[in-house]
Amino acid sequence: MTLTRFVRRAYSLRLALILQVLVPLALLLAAATWVGMKALESSLEERLEEDVQLIARAIRLPVSHSLEREEEEAVRQALESVFTIGRVYGAYVYDRRGEQVAAVGAVKPSAAERNRLQALAEEGRDTGEYELIEGRQVYSYFIPLVDTGGRISGLLQVTRRQSDFADYVSGIQRQAGLAALLTTLIIGALVLVGHRTAIGRHMAQLSHSMAQVEAGNRGHRAREQGPRELRQLSGAYNQMLDSIQRAEQELLERQRREAELERALASSKRLAALGRLSAGVAHELGTPLSVIDGQSQRGLRDPDLSPPASKAFRRIRSEVDRMSQIVQQLLDFGRPSNGEWRMLTVRDLVQRVAHTQMESDRARGARIDWVPPAEDGLMVRGHPMRLEQALTNLVQNAIHAANGGCVRIRWGRVGDRVALWVEDDGPGVPEGDRARLFEPFFTTKPVGEGTGLGLAVVHGIAQEHGGDVRLLPDSELGGACFRLSLPAADEQQKDEGSS
């Protein structure tokens, strides 16, 4: 297992290039050199044999004339002349009987050798062969000698050591081997340098990019440079990182939405339970309050009632009225949206709520303005009383915040929805209270002036109708600005409502 890991770690792209390219190339070059040297060896051997043959033919004529005139000294001089060339081992002259006439660098032949020489002389043709002389392997070339009459008068033998051939070929082989080795080294160096220039540095940059991503730099991307394949690799790597980043973002977004849905579901469950509790409490308080109010009215009708008692009964009725309002808000909060939905014109809804609030004792001297949009006649589909109650709660909150100032109601189309804006010129909502505005029983009013259910009821009604309500960050009047958004009625719903 350790050896396997070591091999896997050591087996790099450079090592693969050496093993799979350079080594086969070196073996191929060595094989080609060997085949070439074999061919060269054969060619050189033939050439060296031709050199011996040329020397023999060159001295054939003077040796033949000297032998015919029986001038042995002249024969010897002719034989010695071949040594000036420096390529001959020995030269021999034999008569027709195979007897040695003259020899330079040679030994006398044996009886068996004389018989063979006599046979070669009688054949009268040139012959070349390898033989052993004084323990040395030599190449001998035999050429017949003829007199002026054309008769064979003897035999000329010129020899050359075979080691001369071998030494020369060995020298050529060494030079060829060195040349092949040098060529292999040069090619290897060029391949490795080319690998470094064309592939290695780009792979190093890609590895550096991977290391940066691994270190946490998720926004880093590899540079697409180098050969086409490496550019494609870098591009695919960048696309993979982009895909992973998109998948992570989608996962985070999905987790965020799931968390919001879980919070909304939990909030809905809490609100539903709170609504049932509120409805039960309101129902239980309604009957005792009615009894208290009725008894107070009967007490006030007593003609003998003293002024302090009359004042006390009126105070009781005032508090009972306030408690009745709280009970009504509890009932509104816990009441489901029963009843028939129908088409409502937003302009009529706004006018009814505005007129009702201006005529109410709770107006507190505030001025209520409404600003119709350019596209009038906008309609929504919903429960008339519930939508009127939601808008009333928003207007009442604005009146309380304006404290005798200005309240403005605007409406208009926003995409496929109808939005109603209710704003005031009051002090606005503190930043720390904005996140809890729509929680049940949360109020910014002083104790005894609010139950904290008004905006919670608006929020519930908006959700019943597929809309939403939110506090906007800015208001043209400088106070708070609430936006109630509801789905706009389409043409088919308008036609059904008109029919």
Side-chain angles (χ1 to χ4, degrees):
M1 190 65 180
T2 305
L3 180 61
T4 303
R5 288 198 299 266
F6 173 77
V7 171
R8 292 185 63 182
R9 292 185 61 183
Y11 190 70
S12 62
L13 183 60
R14 180 178 299 176
L15 182 58
L17 188 64
I18 293 174
L19 295 178
Q20 299 182 21
V21 177
L22 292 183
V23 171
L25 182 62
L27 294 176
L28 181 62
L29 185 59
T33 303
W34 183 82
V35 173
M37 288 307 303
K38 284 298 181 182
L40 180 62
E41 181 180 353
S42 177
S43 176
L44 289 175
E45 187 173 343
E46 292 178 358
R47 181 178 175 183
L48 293 175
E49 291 175 358
E50 289 176 358
D51 290 344
V52 174
Q53 294 170 12
L54 288 175
I55 294 172
R57 292 190 182 99
I59 65 173
R60 176 184 183 182
L61 185 58
V63 171
S64 297
H65 290 171
S66 300
L67 182 61
E68 183 179 1
R69 293 193 298 269
E70 297 181 356
E71 297 176 354
E72 294 184 4
E73 185 62 27
V75 173
R76 175 175 289 277
Q77 290 178 358
L79 293 179
E80 290 178 349
S81 65
V82 301
F83 286 94
T84 59
I85 303 175
R87 298 179 181 177
V88 176
Y89 173 60
Y92 316 89
V93 176
Y94 307 96
D95 59 15
R96 286 181 298 179
R97 296 184 302 273
E99 295 290 340
Q100 189 179 84
V101 176
V104 177
V107 296
K108 293 182 179 181
S110 62
E113 183 70 15
R114 285 197 297 269
N115 294 333
R116 188 177 70 85
L117 295 174
Q118 183 179 2
L120 291 174
E122 290 176 353
E123 288 180 4
R125 60 184 180 85
D126 299 352
T127 303
E129 61 182 22
Y130 286 91
E131 59 181 341
L132 190 63
I133 298 179
E134 293 185 347
R136 295 181 180 180
Q137 191 74 20
V138 298
Y139 173 72
S140 296
Y141 183 70
F142 299 92
I143 185 171
L145 301 174
V146 296
D147 56 16
T148 55
R151 296 183 302 272
I152 297 176
S153 60
L155 185 66
L156 174 62
Q157 178 186 8
V158 179
T159 62
R160 186 169 185 175
R161 287 174 300 186
Q162 189 180 15
S163 60
D164 294 341
F165 300 107
D167 293 342
Y168 185 73
V169 171
S170 297
I172 297 296
Q173 288 177 342
R174 285 193 298 272
Q175 295 177 3
L178 291 175
L181 178 60
L182 182 61
T183 302
T184 302
L185 293 177
I186 293 175
I187 293 176
L190 291 176
V191 170
L192 293 178
V193 171
H195 163 264
R196 170 62 185 171
T197 304
I199 299 176
R201 61 190 181 97
H202 301 300
M203 291 299 296
Q205 291 176 355
L206 183 59
S207 299
H208 178 67
S209 299
M210 293 180 179
Q212 287 195 359
V213 174
E214 183 182 6
N217 187 4
R218 297 298 182 89
H220 179 77
R221 292 297 179 269
R223 289 185 294 178
E224 299 180 14
Q225 58 184 5
R228 181 189 59 185
E229 292 79 2
L230 291 181
R231 293 198 305 270
Q232 292 175 347
L233 180 61
S234 299
Y237 173 70
N238 292 336
Q239 291 177 2
M240 180 189 68
L241 292 179
D242 293 338
S243 299
I244 293 175
Q245 190 172 22
R246 286 194 299 268
E248 290 178 347
Q249 291 175 353
E250 292 174 359
L251 179 61
L252 291 175
E253 181 64 22
R254 189 179 300 111
Q255 291 175 345
R256 185 188 64 79
R257 289 197 300 266
E258 290 177 354
E260 289 180 354
L261 289 175
E262 290 177 356
R263 287 194 296 269
L265 180 60
S267 177
S268 299
K269 290 180 178 179
R270 288 195 301 270
L271 291 177
L274 189 58
R276 290 191 296 270
L277 175 64
S278 299
V281 171
H283 179 72
E284 293 298 329
L285 290 179
T287 301
L289 288 176
S290 298
V291 173
I292 295 173
D293 187 56
Q295 294 297 325
S296 299
Q297 289 184 17
R298 289 181 61 183
L300 287 173
R301 294 193 195 103
D302 187 356
D304 299 329
L305 188 66
S306 63
S310 176
K311 182 178 179 181
F313 277 121
R314 288 191 179 89
R315 177 68 180 274
I316 291 173
R317 291 204 64 196
S318 174
E319 294 300 322
V320 168
D321 181 62
R322 190 173 73 85
M323 292 183 66
S324 297
Q325 293 178 10
I326 295 174
V327 169
Q328 184 61 42
Q329 288 184 347
L330 289 173
L331 289 173
D332 292 339
F333 179 73
R335 179 189 302 143
S337 181
N338 298 323
E340 182 182 357
W341 286 26
R342 59 186 178 86
M343 301 301 299
L344 301 174
T345 303
V346 179
R347 183 186 185 93
D348 295 340
L349 177 65
V350 172
Q351 288 181 348
R352 283 199 305 272
V353 172
H355 285 303
T356 301
Q357 295 304 312
M358 284 190 296
E359 295 172 359
S360 172
D361 294 338
R362 300 180 181 181
R364 298 187 179 185
R367 187 180 79 254
I368 302 177
D369 299 330
W370 63 88
V371 183
E375 180 187 357
D376 206 356
L378 295 175
M379 301 181 72
V380 295
R381 184 176 182 277
H383 192 283
M385 296 301 297
R386 298 283 282 174
L387 291 179
E388 186 173 335
Q389 181 183 0
L391 185 59
T392 297
N393 288 357
L394 291 177
V395 172
Q396 287 180 352
N397 280 355
I399 290 173
H400 184 275
N403 195 20
C406 179
V407 175
R408 180 187 298 168
I409 307 174
R410 297 182 292 117
W411 67 95
R413 178 182 287 272
V414 180
D416 59 348
R417 291 179 173 266
V418 174
L420 294 97
W421 292 272
V422 179
E423 52 188 329
D424 58 73
D425 59 357
V429 180
E431 189 68 30
D433 296 337
R434 290 174 177 255
R436 303 184 58 195
L437 278 179
F438 299 102
E439 293 181 4
F441 304 108
F442 176 79
T443 180
T444 59
K445 298 176 183 178
V447 178
E449 295 188 17
T451 61
L453 291 173
L455 290 179
V457 171
V458 176
H459 183 265
I461 295 174
Q463 287 189 330
E464 290 174 4
H465 289 76
D468 63 76
V469 60
R470 65 181 58 189
L471 174 64
L472 301 184
D474 298 313
S475 170
E476 294 180 0
L477 298 182
C481 180
F482 286 87
R483 185 188 69 186
L484 174 62
S485 178
L486 300 169
D490 54 27
E491 295 299 327
Q492 181 179 358
Q493 291 175 331
K494 291 180 181 179
D495 294 340
E496 292 175 355
S498 61
S499 61

